Every structure is written in C-alpha cells, then in structure tokens.
Amino acid sequence: MGYSIAYLSLVVLIPLAGLLIRVSAMSWADFVRVAFSDRALAAYRLTFGASFIAATINAVLGTLLAWVLTRYRFPGRKILDALVDFPFALPTAVAGLTLANLFSQTGWLGQFLVPLGIHLAYTTGGIVLALTFVSLPFVVRTLQPVLEEFEVELEEAAATLGAGRWCTFRRVVFPALLPALMTGFALAFARAVGEYGSVLFISSNKPYVSEITPQVIMGWLDQFEYANAMAVAVVMLSASFAILITINLLERWASRFQR
Amino acid sequence: MAHGIPKGPQVAMNSKSRRGIEEPEFIRKVLIGIAVGFVGVFLLLPLANVFAQAFAKGWSAYIQSLQQPDTRSAVLLTLLVSAICVPLNLVFGVIAAWAVAKFQFRGKALLITLIDLPFSVSPVVSGLIYVVMFGAQGYLGPWLDSKDIQIIFAVPGIVLATLFVTFPFVARELIPLMEAQGSDAEQAALTLGATGWQTFRYVTLPSVKWGLLYGVILCNARAMGEFGAVSVVSGHISGVTETLPLRIEKLHQEYQSVGAFSAASLLAILALITLGLKTWLERRQAAEQALGQSDSLSSHEH
C-alpha cells in the first residue's frame, strides 16, 4: 500500500506536478501566445480532426469485426480474432515505417493507388491511416464481451413480432451496444490523439500543414525552448484528462445499462 | 472471400435462422468477406511488408545490417531497459492490484485513475515531464550536474520514461481478476493460521497467475517498442542511448531501407511472439476455468 503510493508518486505524481508548477510560473500572456499560436492551433486541428476520423472509421469497421467474430463461425476465425490485437503488440515505429512504405509510390498498395491519385504516404490521409491502425483494437475489444452476453431471446422476440433483420439490429441490438461503442470510440480517440511514433514516419511533418501536436512539442524541445514545449503539453494534458473523465462516465453509463 | 462457410455447423444454423435471428447466407458471406479483407489488407499486409523489405536485398544483406555495431547495441539496450522495467512494474502491479482489490481505503478511486493515467497521456508528454524534472534546465538538473549524474539523454532517463508508460499493464490485468475473486479464500487461509505472506503466495498468486503472465507479456511488448517517450529523453546518441525503435528512425532518415526494416523485423517478430503467447494464455485460462466449473459441479453431485 505505502509502497504502491510511494512508487506512484515517484514515477508519476512528482514529475507531473513539476510540469504544472513550471507552466504556472509562465505569465498568462506568454502561455496563450505559445499554446494558442497559429502553429499550435493548426496542429490541434489536425490532431483532433484526424483522430476523430480515425475513431469513426474504427467505430464502423470495429462493430462489423466484433459482430463477425462473435456471431459467425468460419475457418480462420480464431486467427482473425488474435490478429485484432496486432496493433497493440507491434511497436508504433514499425507500424509507421511499414505503412509509409506500403502506400508510397513503389509500395505494394501505393503502386496501384498513386496512379489513381490516391496519395496516402506523406499526406494527411496517411496520418489518418496510421491513427486508424494504432487504435483499431479498442472498439472491437469493448464490443465483443457485450455482444457475447447479448440475449438472443430479444432478437427472437423482435423477429416474432415481424421485424426484419436490419430493423432488429437497428432497433434492438444497436441501442444495447451504444454505450460500449461510445466507450470504444473514446478509447480509440484518446489513443489516436496521443500517438506520435507511427505518424512521424508517415507524415511529411510540415509545420502548419501536416504536423500533429506531439511534433510541435518535440519541435520546441529540439530548440531547447522547454517552457514553450510545456505550454503545449499542458493543453494536451488537459485534453487527455477531459477524455479520461468522459471514458469513466461512459463506462459507468454502460455498466448501468447492462444491469 | 477465399473462405467458404463450413458445411457442418451451417445445417444447425439454418434451423436456427428459421427463428429469424440469422442473417441471410449472402449477407453473412459479405460481412465475413469485409472483415477478412480488412484485416488482411490493413494488418497482415503491413506485417508481410516488413519482412519483404528486410529481405529485399537477400539474406546476407539482412544479416549484415543486423550486425551493424549501432544496431546491435540498440538491441542490447532495448533488452536491458525491458529487463529493468518489467520486474519493477510487475512488483508494483501486484502490490497496487492487491491494495485496490482487497482493501477499502480513502482515495481508492483516485489511485485507480492514476494507474490508468499513462494510458491516456501522450507518450511525448510522458517523456517531457522527466526532462522538466531532471534535464539541464529542470528542477534537479543543476544538482545532478554537480554530482556528475546524467539522467536525461542517458540510459536512466530511458528507463524512467519506459517505467512510466508501461506501469499500468500488470495492475490493469490483475485488478478485475482479484476483485472478482473476493477475499473469502484469503480469509479462510488466515483463519487456518497461514501468515500474510503464505496466504499471498499459496492462495492469491496461483489464482491470478495467468492474468499476471498476460500483463507481463503486454508490459514487455510495450517496454521494448516504446517510441515517443523514449525519443524525448534519449538524445539519440547512436550506440549509446538508441533503443531499437529509435534506431529504426535513424536508419530510415539515413535512407537505409534494408537496415531500418531489418531492425523493424526484430520488433515484428516480438509482436508475433507476444500475440502467440497471449492467445495461448487465453486458451489456458479458459480451459482452467472450464475445469474449475466442472470440478465444482462434480463435487456438488457427491
């Protein structure tokens, strides 16, 4: 007990408090000037926008994957199930490296896509792609247990009452999945917002254009402008906290739903 | 859509679908097709690509690029860092989960939130807080400098940053397991005269061993693969403070494609081993649970 708190404060609390104290030493005007500079604002827009798109893609495809994995039996299902965790197991640097290569002009997929005018490597689309990859497992993994425990009797009842399959899904299954789906979405979003490694490889890393927030922080650090880096970091931290609180509330809502 | 649907179970499904809870065969095939296609293109293809690029210039070029002194020292550093971080976080995870699951105390919710924190903080920010703490312009910077201790841009900083990003894994796995088990068995053991340590060693630990291993595997995968946090504190000194993921970045920037992908292939193998072990553990756990249930059933019958 004492040990875990001591360890926690040593590794997490004290450094975190240190950051906040250092930033509070900045004047408010300085903080605003750096944290909400044009470059930072462009990065926030890109970070949150791309993360939102990535989380939405994952919400749709993740629901489909979870449904297929829990409802259908087909050869290779177990392998498919195990592969869903692959983005968690694969270091992000490797993910970024191989995705960038795959979609570059000479890559396996890029050689077909680039002539069609679809440039995914070194563009904003590539950032969305990388973020979708690293946050893929969240929606699937939060939906799977809910779908497994879902009472099939309810679907039978709907069918008895004359509802078609699509109508049953939309009116009966989907509302029960919604809290878990939103939790999964929020988890995927949170992961995407903080992601750095994979984006570094696939983005062209241009300030104002294709630079995500962690890169802005890195940029300030490389110039040894620690105060500026910290100001942007505090904005990121606040966003993380807001998402964390949202996830906790969603989980509470979801557990109430299941009872 | 290379996979067909097996004939056997389908007969059973057809009788079920009469109850109106199965999609038409066609829809089912399309959905499975999309799922398999998506995973194939989005997950398998990138994996295959790592190895294809690593071996693009043949086996000997692959071996040669792995034998570069800087890449070798990066492998060793990565192994060292995870060898330090995993045991420390294992001990912390077990103790924290034990405290959260078996005792009631004030600030418990706060403790749980704090354990989750590293999951939601951007890795770059995690690295930054150590720079603020120990860097040249940081709180302890001047003092550390006078004592000639270097943490940032050195191995201790890498260890600290890795500790931060990996410490939720073991605790997160154990807390729900320990909570589900309750403390009845422990109390029984204590009543029978076992010491606290014996209770822990012979009652608590065996019941969570699979979850524990699971947490360790995930913790290890993250420790070896962490990029953002380590990148901030490392200083990128080749051969000294470069972990394997950072080495990949350096090689990539130097346009050494085979070198970068060879190094990446090592981490991809790590990811495959992690997935394999994870799947195996899940099966063991499920098998053991099934066994436990049939045991309790048969004992009821006696």
Side-chain angles (χ1 to χ4, degrees), chain A residues 7 11-12 72 85 98 165 194, chain B residues 23 46 89 122 130 167 278:
Chain A
Y7 187 88
V11 179
V12 181
Y72 304 148
D85 279 329
T98 180
R165 209 46 204 141
Chain B
E23 291 78 41
N89 280 332
S122 172
Y130 291 105
F167 91 69
K278 193 179 152 294

Side-chain angles (χ1 to χ4, degrees), chain A residues 105-122:
Chain A
Q105 202 157 7
T106 52
W108 285 353
L109 294 173
Q111 57 180 326
F112 305 112
L113 294 175
V114 171
L116 297 173
I118 305 172
H119 296 268
L120 284 175
Y122 317 116

Side-chain angles (χ1 to χ4, degrees), chain A residues 170-213:
Chain A
R170 208 163 42 95
R171 297 277 182 84
V172 179
V173 182
F174 187 73
L177 290 185
L178 192 61
L181 181 61
M182 285 174 68
T183 308
F185 178 89
L187 286 169
F189 183 70
R191 174 64 210 268
V193 165
E195 177 55 23
Y196 172 71
S198 60
V199 174
L200 189 67
F201 285 88
I202 207 167
S203 154
S204 53
N205 307 326
K206 283 189 206 113
Y208 299 100
V209 182
S210 56
E211 191 183 52
I212 56 167
T213 319

Side-chain angles (χ1 to χ4, degrees), chain A residues 1-5 7-8 10-22 57-58 61-62 64-65 67-68 71-76 78-95 97-103 106-109 122 128-130 132-134 136 141 152 155-157 159-160 163-165 168 190-191 193-198 200-201 213-215 217-218 221 224-227 229-234 236-237 240-241 244 247-248 251, chain B residues 3-6 9 13 16 19-24 27-29 31-32 34-36 38-50 52-53 85 88-89 91-92 95-96 99 105-106 110-111 113-125 128-139 152-153 160 163-164 167 172 214 218 221-222 224-229 231-232 236 245-246 248-249 252-253 257 260-261 263-265 267-268 270-272 274-275 278-279 282-283:
Chain A
M1 182 60 214
Y3 167 80
S4 63
I5 288 182
Y7 187 88
L8 203 63
L10 213 65
V11 179
V12 181
L13 278 183
I14 295 177
L16 210 59
L19 175 79
L20 294 177
I21 294 170
R22 279 295 279 269
I57 295 175
N58 275 330
L61 286 169
L64 190 144
L65 262 176
W67 179 267
V68 168
R71 288 303 175 93
Y72 304 148
R73 294 291 172 270
F74 54 95
K78 288 212 166 117
I79 298 175
L80 202 67
D81 194 21
L83 270 176
V84 167
D85 279 329
F86 185 60
F88 279 168
L90 190 73
T92 55
V94 181
L97 181 73
T98 180
L99 283 175
N101 180 277
L102 213 51
F103 288 95
T106 52
W108 285 353
L109 294 173
Y122 317 116
V128 173
L129 196 78
T132 310
F133 183 90
V134 297
L136 173 80
R141 291 299 181 231
V152 183
E155 287 171 63
E156 286 177 8
T160 324
R165 209 46 204 141
T168 308
R191 174 64 210 268
V193 165
E195 177 55 23
Y196 172 71
S198 60
L200 189 67
F201 285 88
T213 319
Q215 287 172 319
I217 298 176
M218 281 305 254
L221 274 177
F224 298 101
E225 295 281 359
Y226 288 179
M230 285 187 273
V232 180
V234 165
M236 285 284 282
L237 263 180
S240 306
F241 272 117
L244 195 66
I247 292 172
N248 278 338
E251 267 172 355
Chain B
H3 297 287
I5 292 169
M13 276 182 177
K16 234 183 182 179
R19 296 190 299 180
I21 58 156
E22 282 292 332
E23 291 78 41
I27 303 269
R28 228 184 311 158
K29 276 194 169 165
L31 288 180
I32 293 176
I34 296 175
V36 171
F38 174 63
V39 170
V41 171
F42 206 60
L43 300 181
L44 270 186
L45 214 54
L47 175 66
N49 191 42
V50 171
Q53 297 299 326
C85 291
L88 279 177
N89 280 332
V91 172
F92 165 78
I95 293 178
F105 54 92
R106 234 188 266 182
L110 187 71
L111 183 66
T113 313
L114 281 177
I115 291 174
D116 272 346
L117 194 70
F119 276 159
S120 55
V121 171
S122 172
V124 171
V125 178
L128 178 70
I129 61 177
Y130 291 105
V131 176
V132 174
M133 205 64 199
F134 301 111
Q137 297 180 25
Y139 286 102
I152 299 304
F153 305 144
L160 273 175
L163 270 183
F164 181 91
F167 91 69
R172 268 326 272 173
Y214 194 87
L218 294 182
R222 183 71 195 264
M224 289 189 171
E226 177 52 28
F227 182 84
S231 173
V232 175
H236 303 263
L246 298 179
I248 295 173
E249 187 201 3
H252 176 68
Q253 282 169 351
S257 170
F261 276 100
S265 75
L267 289 175
L270 167 76
L272 286 176
T274 305
L275 275 191
K278 193 179 152 294
T279 313
E282 275 167 353
R283 279 205 200 146

Side-chain angles (χ1 to χ4, degrees), chain A residues 240-253:
Chain A
S240 306
F241 272 117
I243 300 170
L244 195 66
I245 291 168
T246 314
I247 292 172
N248 278 338
L249 290 177
L250 279 172
E251 267 172 355
R252 212 173 287 173
W253 182 42

